[in-house]
Amino acid sequence: MTEGYRGVWVFVEQKKGEFLPVGLQLLGKGREIADRLGEKLSALVLGRDVKDKAKALIGYGADEVLVVDQPKLEDYQTDLYAHVVTELVQKERPSVFLLGATYNGRDLAPTVAGRLETGLSSDCTRLEIDEEGRLVQVVPAFRGMASILCPDRRPQMATIRPGVFRLPAPDESRTGTVREVQVDLETVENRAELVELYLQEPEGKPLEEAETVVAGGAGIGDLEGWKLIEDLAQVLGAAVGATRPPLDEGWAREDQMIGQSGKTVRPDLYIGIGISGETQHVVGIEDAKVVVAINNDPGAPIFKVADYGIVADYRKVVPVLIERFKKLKNTG
Amino acid sequence: MQILVLVKAVPDPERANEITLDPETGTVKREGIPLVINPLDRNAVEEALRLKEEKGGTVAALSMGPPAAEGPLREALALGVDRAVLLSDRAMAGADTLATARVLAAGARYLGDFDLILCGAESFDGGTAQVGPELAQFLGLPHASYVTSAREKGGLLEVEAKVEDGRKKLQVRLPALLTVSRELNRPRGLSFSGIVRARGKKVEVLSLADLGMDPSRAGVAGSPTIIGDISTPTTTRSGEIIKGDPEEVVDVLVKKLTEAGVV
Ligand SMILES: Cc1cc2nc3c(=O)[nH]c(=O)nc-3n(C[C@H](O)[C@H](O)[C@H](O)COP(=O)(O)OP(=O)(O)OC[C@H]3O[C@@H](n4cnc5c(N)ncnc54)[C@H](O)[C@@H]3O)c2cc1C
């Protein structure tokens, strides 16, 4: 079931004709994988009036851009997109197929994998090629990392969250081809039809671009405690991040979660407070320059991935920190 | 409306931090932690019950899991579902999302025709968000993921679902499958009368043979993905613990951070 499958594909999602950064990040990773395999890297673009923009993807590493340009494909709709992608995969037979783990990507990927009955792993934090040329899809597992393989089916599919891989610097001198493909959508039923999109401009500087991040976890305990986290962030000019429990408790917003199923941050300084340091969270802070942890349990695993640790009840330490930084700000 | 709701048994999230790793064998130990209905599946059950209350019909709950997954299904009965079915068989163990979806599809077909299938968008312990859409493919149904509101209107579902930085509104043809977000509703709690009512009901247990399914299509054998090695991450950070009373530790920390040029 793996014979005749060659090449690495990256689905590059677009919104209003603009390519999402995660697609470009995956082209960078896809380039490495394709080189390792000695195979071609293709970017797959679906949309309306996207043909002319498609060329730009070559600069990000694609050898070839496959474009399906039709009015009906302007916005993501499951049935139409899944039909096009499934048909192209069956025809062109890529061996590896990577998609960004956006809401749309996390809808499209299992739909296509289900139709092809192939393997799919979600929210991978690392991708490698083993000696047999297979895609090793690494995801956090309990207190460790697990490697997922798809030995007998193709393509080997994986989704990756935005920000996990870095944006490659575009190289204008790279050459490649843009190939427009026709797919007949006349007879495809659009059973879940998009009626309207309501989009909001995100507020403030995104967490993933912040130079300082103050993150809180379950150990914060209540909304009042969460205020302390926000106060500390404010005096530091930092963005507020969170683990999963504060989301579940309603202290933090979904877009503040750091980790495998959230954001990857790369600040100069990360301060984690009341956070145990579970792998699913820690994968999102690996590239922070300096990591500080405040936790009242000396055995908390976060201390193993921190530069500086303070073993204490955060309620005693954080107010002192806030005062100190306030003073520094006023004198400095 | 004939509604099917999928229920996954997961270790109680409230006690998730009691799960430990056996350093000798590398296996996850979760003994003693009770299984409960996956949090987002609670939202799915709630929506199913609300739709039934509004439109009439029946609600069946379906799960694939070990025998202990009967507990969460009993909970679903106590919440008010009419029928609870557990697909359980040694040959179903170790399934990835695709094999899980394939078995659930066989279970759904076995139970009859449904107008609507509901499940949580993702599970608390797996978090892939793949089983719902994959199941919809096996059943040939349209679906919508991460649904935040749903209303039936003239044989169509008007659905709102999450996208980055906003929402989308969809019109979905029935029969359909929806994977739901927590914003959809506030799940009801268990009532005493519900618990009493559920005592008279049984969780039906079905094997692969009951489903007429070939074991090669289920469990590990039917899973395209396998788990290779598990490794512990290595760290290059120093892990220096700063000791003292709050004033002292803050003094030292601020000095270090200033030296590092990060504040
Ligand atoms: C598939 C999957 C994906 C996931 N994705 C993510 C993700 O992207 N991001 C994420 O964060 N999690 C994710 N999780 C959840 C993750 O496994 C952990 O459950 C979570 O990170 C734990 O959060 P926590 O450290 O805040 O809570 P806990 O593990 O409960 O830790 C709380 C800590 O607070 C400390 N504490 C308590 N009181 C105080 C006090 N007064 N002062 C100081 N310290 C105190 C305790 O000692 C403890 O160490 C995911 C899980 C799964 C299964």
Side-chain angles (χ1 to χ4, degrees):
Chain A
M1 280 309 295
T2 64
E3 251 159 72
Y5 287 82
R6 275 183 73 80
V8 178
W9 275 22
V10 170
F11 175 73
V12 182
E13 184 181 345
Q14 52 83 27
K15 188 160 84 184
K16 308 259 163 274
E18 300 295 326
F19 299 124
L20 300 189
V22 64
L24 310 178
Q25 294 157 7
L26 292 186
L27 282 176
K29 191 69 197 179
R31 183 70 261 158
E32 285 173 29
I33 292 172
D35 286 342
R36 179 79 214 279
L37 290 169
E39 294 177 8
K40 195 163 74 178
L41 174 67
S42 306
L44 175 61
V45 176
L46 277 61
R48 172 187 200 159
D49 299 331
V50 287
K51 237 178 311 194
D52 297 338
K53 294 193 175 130
K55 265 198 307 293
L57 299 179
I58 293 166
Y60 285 95
D63 298 309
E64 172 188 67
V65 188
L66 295 175
V67 186
V68 191
D69 196 325
Q70 292 193 31
K72 278 188 178 175
L73 298 176
E74 178 165 0
D75 294 304
Y76 176 75
Q77 301 190 75
T78 307
D79 275 341
L80 301 180
Y81 269 56
H83 176 86
V84 170
V85 173
T86 306
E87 185 171 305
L88 290 180
V89 167
Q90 281 169 330
K91 220 185 266 169
E92 311 256 342
R93 301 176 156 236
S95 163
V96 171
F97 187 15
L98 310 178
L99 302 94
T102 60
Y103 278 106
N104 290 338
R106 282 165 69 80
D107 184 69
L108 178 63
T111 305
V112 171
R115 291 184 185 188
L116 296 167
E117 295 195 39
T118 192
L120 169 65
S121 57
S122 78
D123 297 344
C124 297
T125 56
R126 227 162 61 212
L127 295 171
E128 286 154 16
I129 296 293
D130 70 6
E131 302 87 62
E132 293 166 60
R134 302 178 302 187
L135 183 71
V136 183
Q137 306 145 53
V138 183
V139 296
F142 191 77
R143 302 268 154 99
M145 304 296 284
S147 301
I148 298 175
L149 292 169
C150 177
D152 304 322
R153 305 280 304 180
R154 293 291 178 272
Q156 306 161 84
M157 292 180 65
T159 66
I160 297 94
R161 292 273 170 179
V164 170
F165 299 125
R166 287 171 190 265
L167 198 67
D171 174 0
E172 308 277 326
S173 67
R174 276 188 54 87
T175 55
T177 52
V178 174
R179 179 152 65 95
E180 194 181 351
V181 235
Q182 302 297 335
V183 176
D184 182 13
L185 287 174
E186 275 316 302
T187 57
V188 179
E189 283 188 280
N190 187 10
R191 300 167 301 173
E193 196 174 335
L194 181 70
V195 182
E196 225 176 319
L197 264 178
Y198 319 92
L199 299 180
Q200 271 180 335
E201 279 302 314
E203 282 169 43
K205 194 172 178 177
L207 177 61
E208 57 272 33
E209 286 167 26
E211 278 151 24
T212 311
V213 170
V214 175
I220 300 309
D222 52 31
L223 205 53
E224 210 176 299
W226 197 258
K227 261 291 273 150
L228 274 181
I229 299 298
E230 288 175 337
D231 288 349
L232 176 60
Q234 206 193 353
V235 290
L236 284 168
V240 175
T243 55
R244 189 165 75 176
L247 245 78
D248 295 338
E249 297 292 340
W251 309 332
R253 294 190 316 269
E254 188 176 290
D255 63 355
Q256 291 179 312
M257 185 169 76
I258 296 170
Q260 182 200 9
S261 35
K263 302 259 166 92
T264 298
V265 296
R266 297 188 168 86
D268 289 339
L269 173 62
Y270 162 98
I271 306 179
I273 307 171
I275 291 175
S276 63
E278 204 58 75
T279 326
Q280 282 100 357
H281 177 71
V282 168
V283 288
I285 61 168
E286 275 167 0
D287 288 344
K289 208 152 124 198
V290 175
V291 172
V292 175
I294 303 174
N295 193 308
N296 60 1
D297 171 10
I302 186 114
F303 290 123
K304 296 206 186 88
V305 296
D307 297 287
Y308 303 111
I310 295 173
V311 182
D313 182 342
Y314 82 91
R315 287 188 182 87
K316 303 220 166 73
V317 176
V318 173
V320 182
L321 262 179
I322 293 172
E323 283 315 309
R324 187 67 49 90
F325 282 123
K326 260 192 199 149
K327 236 185 258 161
L328 271 178
K329 211 158 84 177
N330 292 337
T331 57
Chain B
M1 232 189 204
Q2 304 302 314
I3 305 172
L4 179 67
V5 54
L6 302 178
V7 168
K8 182 180 183 185
V10 299
D12 188 349
E14 299 286 320
R15 298 177 57 182
N17 51 9
E18 291 171 32
I19 303 175
T20 53
L21 194 67
D22 187 326
E24 304 276 287
T25 61
T27 51
V28 176
K29 296 206 295 188
R30 51 173 67 155
E31 285 100 59
I33 301 177
L35 293 175
V36 299
I37 298 178
N38 175 50
L40 289 180
D41 295 345
R42 281 293 284 262
N43 296 88
V45 170
E46 177 62 33
E47 200 63 14
L49 295 174
R50 279 218 259 198
L51 281 166
K52 178 190 157 177
E53 281 154 14
E54 197 187 308
K55 316 245 172 217
T58 63
V59 178
L62 178 66
S63 186
M64 182 192 88
E70 257 197 51
L73 280 171
R74 296 211 64 79
E75 201 182 326
L77 284 170
L79 286 166
V81 309
D82 302 291
R83 184 177 181 191
V85 179
L86 174 63
L87 310 176
S88 194
D89 197 312
R90 271 174 195 280
M92 292 177 190
D96 69 1
T97 63
L98 194 84
T100 302
R102 200 187 276 126
V103 169
L104 288 171
R109 276 194 225 99
Y110 181 93
L111 295 181
D113 286 333
F114 294 96
D115 302 299
L116 185 61
I117 300 182
L118 295 166
C119 63
E122 54 189 59
S123 65
F124 193 81
D125 57 347
T128 68
Q130 291 172 189
V131 170
E134 287 179 339
L135 172 60
Q137 307 321 303
F138 282 113
L139 294 173
L141 295 177
H143 76 270
S145 316
Y146 290 97
V147 167
T148 55
S149 84
R151 245 180 354 146
E152 198 258 348
K153 226 171 139 187
L156 287 172
L157 279 177
E158 274 190 6
V159 160
E160 279 189 4
K162 288 193 202 174
V163 291
E164 271 74 23
D165 312 322
R167 294 277 195 272
K168 62 183 173 186
K169 192 193 240 172
L170 304 171
Q171 219 167 46
V172 185
R173 285 187 219 165
L174 290 168
L177 180 147
L178 303 181
T179 84
V180 309
S181 316
R182 91 173 75 212
E183 292 84 348
L184 181 65
N185 54 36
R186 273 198 61 196
R188 67 192 66 185
L190 286 171
S191 68
F192 182 68
S193 61
I195 295 170
V196 171
R197 201 166 359 103
R199 273 199 203 133
K201 292 185 184 169
K202 265 184 96 159
V203 174
E204 300 158 56
V205 183
L206 298 174
S207 67
L208 279 177
D210 294 325
L211 297 175
M213 201 173 168
D214 187 335
S216 70
R217 312 261 299 151
V220 176
S223 297
T225 61
I226 55 168
I227 300 196
D229 28 299
I230 308 250
S231 60
T232 21
T234 46
T235 175
T236 50
R237 298 190 194 267
S238 59
E240 180 183 336
I241 302 290
I242 303 172
K243 296 205 170 102
D245 64 34
E247 292 289 341
E248 287 164 359
V249 293
V250 166
D251 277 345
V252 177
L253 180 67
V254 170
K255 188 161 162 277
K256 301 241 184 211
L257 296 181
T258 311
E259 278 167 13
V262 295
V263 289

